[in-house]
Amino acid sequence: MTTASTPDVLAVESQHVLQTYRRQPVVFERGEGTRLFDDHGRAYLDFVSGIGVASLGHANPAIAKALADQATRLVHTSNVYFHPLQGELAAKLSARTGLERAFFCNSGTEAVEACLKVARRFWFTRGETTRTKYVAFSHAFHGRTMGSLSATWDEHYRAPFEPLIPGVTFASTTDPASLESLVDDSTAAVIVEPIQGEGGVRPIPPALASAITAACRRSGALLIADEVQTGCGRTGAFLASPALGLSPDLVALGKALGAGFPVGAAMVSHDVAAAVSAGDHGTTYGGNLLACRAALTFLDELDRGVLAAIPRLSAHLFARLGELAARHPAAIVEVRGAGLMAGLECASDATPIVASALERGLLVNRTSVTVVRLLPAYIVSEADIDEAVAILDQVFSEGART
Ligand SMILES: *Cc1c(COP(=O)(O)O)cnc(C)c1O
């Protein structure tokens, strides 16, 4: 292994990697639990977790052991053949989500894409070929492929790639009554994130959740819950939808599911699954042995007390963040979120906050311009939370002085 210095890494990247990211100027080489170590050996407390992906912390021993063991046995065979792990993982996810069948893929956007396609396939099978539309919401983020991008709200992501797929309308999350006219018998599905993650950690208001349920019942439209960020325990429950009274027909999962290994899944109800036949959808990599082994190990760890600890950790996190906001009322407008998913709505662009936290050894990230997002690993400790909030307190105190 070569150990290039930071400027070399940045120089090579800037010349040869397609410049689609605005990266923080730090090169990480190693991780352990909630800590990351840069190329100078400096430790950082990680409250980004690879955007909610490293759910069991970095270099988790159970995940490392399982992946190493599986890699010596069998990694990939394609979906042309059976292997022992896909059905086992599907059964376990079915038990946790109440949705009978799983389609495995490699990312969140692919899980959303599968949900969008399967929803259309459902109506096509039923002969309702004019039911092709989707209703999504303001501030929604569903991914970057053409289908999921079509249901993503932000013009900044959409405009350079238009025309996107037609027939997607966006309801305002603050106007539940608008669903009455927007959702009708041409709507294949309504798609919603229980807490909008990339859109700024915005929980769906209960009145909107009720209106979604009512609109789907009235029109027959399917409900897709995009739980790529909120799912797999992030909010303390395996899914965030039930707490809102939502009963989705399809659920997209990703991020935390592979604990760092790329795994996505579209969970599909019995009725919807019955409309799908061989050849309708597919993937080369999806659900290979290594991916399934990672996800199975992740689910085992949830059962070993990881999930049960989240309500306690969450209460601690939101109590500390509430105190922080009370100390900096001019800078922090609102604290939002649930479980181990938190957003600080700031009075201005959060870029300097994120940069200052990085300098002080804390990783947080900015979303929706003014929001500082915290997505710690599920194995975070109360001491880690205290340390992170103490650093944020310094950052906001510093900001108030300048
Ligand atoms: C991250 C995210 C996606 C996209 O997942 P990728 O793995 O980046 O493709 C889709 N939906 C939601 C709600 C997400 O948070």
Side-chain angles (χ1 to χ4, degrees):
M1 198 171 69
T2 59
T3 50
S5 67
T6 310
D8 291 343
V9 171
L10 269 54
V12 173
E13 266 244 17
S14 67
Q15 275 174 43
H16 298 290
V17 175
L18 193 65
Q19 296 294 292
T20 58
Y21 302 106
R22 206 176 290 118
R23 299 186 205 269
Q24 300 291 326
V26 60
V27 179
F28 289 120
E29 291 188 337
R30 192 169 68 80
E32 196 182 323
T34 54
R35 308 281 153 169
L36 279 174
F37 298 88
D38 73 10
D39 52 351
H40 305 291
R42 184 180 176 199
Y44 296 76
L45 178 56
D46 184 7
F47 269 49
V48 175
S49 311
I51 317 188
V53 167
S55 46
L56 300 176
H58 299 291
N60 179 280
I63 295 288
K65 189 164 171 289
L67 289 182
D69 174 68
Q70 192 61 50
T72 61
R73 205 177 289 260
L74 191 59
V75 169
H76 177 88
T77 56
S78 89
N79 285 305
V80 173
Y81 311 102
F82 289 94
H83 70 65
L85 304 182
Q86 215 179 95
E88 183 187 350
L89 177 58
K92 288 189 169 162
L93 288 174
S94 175
R96 287 179 186 265
T97 60
L99 295 169
E100 270 87 353
R101 291 184 186 270
F103 173 84
F104 292 109
C105 50
N106 317 290
S107 65
T109 197
E110 286 171 79
V112 170
E113 207 69 38
C115 290
L116 294 172
K117 283 185 69 178
V118 168
R120 276 205 179 163
R121 176 54 159 136
F122 175 78
W123 295 114
F124 183 86
T125 307
R126 292 204 157 195
E128 293 198 35
T129 49
T130 56
R131 263 210 200 247
T132 56
K133 295 182 180 167
Y134 303 100
V135 174
F137 292 91
S138 52
H139 298 286
F141 180 89
H142 297 296
R144 311 287 203 141
T145 52
M146 292 304 258
S148 61
L149 182 61
S150 301
T152 291
W153 177 75
D154 195 332
E155 267 305 304
H156 182 75
Y157 296 141
R158 301 167 57 87
F161 306 105
E162 285 172 345
L164 297 171
I165 65 164
V168 182
T169 50
F170 294 90
S172 165
T173 54
T174 57
D175 183 13
S178 67
L179 289 176
E180 277 174 36
S181 57
L182 288 178
V183 181
D184 60 22
D185 62 7
S186 68
T187 310
V190 176
I191 179 165
V192 66
E193 299 156 84
I195 302 172
Q196 297 177 318
E198 304 305 306
V201 191
R202 297 173 204 275
I204 287 299
L208 183 69
S210 308
I212 291 169
T213 301
C216 288
R217 198 166 291 157
R218 169 178 53 75
S219 66
L222 298 173
L223 178 60
I224 302 170
D226 181 350
E227 296 235 22
V228 169
Q229 194 160 149
T230 53
C232 298
R234 176 54 60 188
T235 67
F238 194 75
L239 295 181
S241 293
L244 281 166
L246 295 173
S247 310
D249 304 286
L250 304 106
V251 171
L253 298 176
K255 290 197 168 91
L257 181 57
F261 196 85
V263 189
M267 300 303 302
V268 181
S269 73
H270 174 82
D271 284 358
V272 175
V276 176
S277 6
D280 278 351
H281 195 42
T283 157
T284 299
Y285 288 127
N288 82 14
L289 290 103
L290 203 57
C292 288
R293 188 72 185 271
L296 283 165
T297 309
F298 166 72
L299 295 180
D300 282 349
E301 292 301 300
L302 287 193
D303 288 336
R304 292 212 172 89
V306 171
L307 198 55
I310 292 181
R312 172 177 54 80
L313 294 164
S314 175
H316 190 78
L317 175 66
F318 281 94
R320 288 288 170 277
L321 292 177
E323 290 161 19
L324 179 76
R327 278 198 298 281
H328 303 282
I332 303 173
V333 176
E334 193 179 25
V335 179
R336 295 189 294 259
L340 293 174
M341 178 173 182
L344 302 175
E345 176 81 57
C346 298
S348 55
D349 189 327
T351 302
I353 304 293
V354 172
S356 170
L358 177 76
E359 278 170 27
R360 292 164 195 272
L362 171 69
L363 306 179
V364 291
N365 91 320
R366 183 189 83 141
T367 179
S368 190
V369 184
T370 50
V371 178
V372 174
R373 178 174 49 178
L374 285 70
L375 293 170
Y378 303 174
I379 49 97
V380 72
S381 68
E382 288 175 340
D384 289 334
I385 291 169
D386 292 344
E387 187 181 335
V389 174
I391 294 173
L392 287 173
D393 192 32
Q394 290 170 16
V395 168
F396 282 108
S397 302
E398 172 82 2
R401 277 201 298 279
T402 54

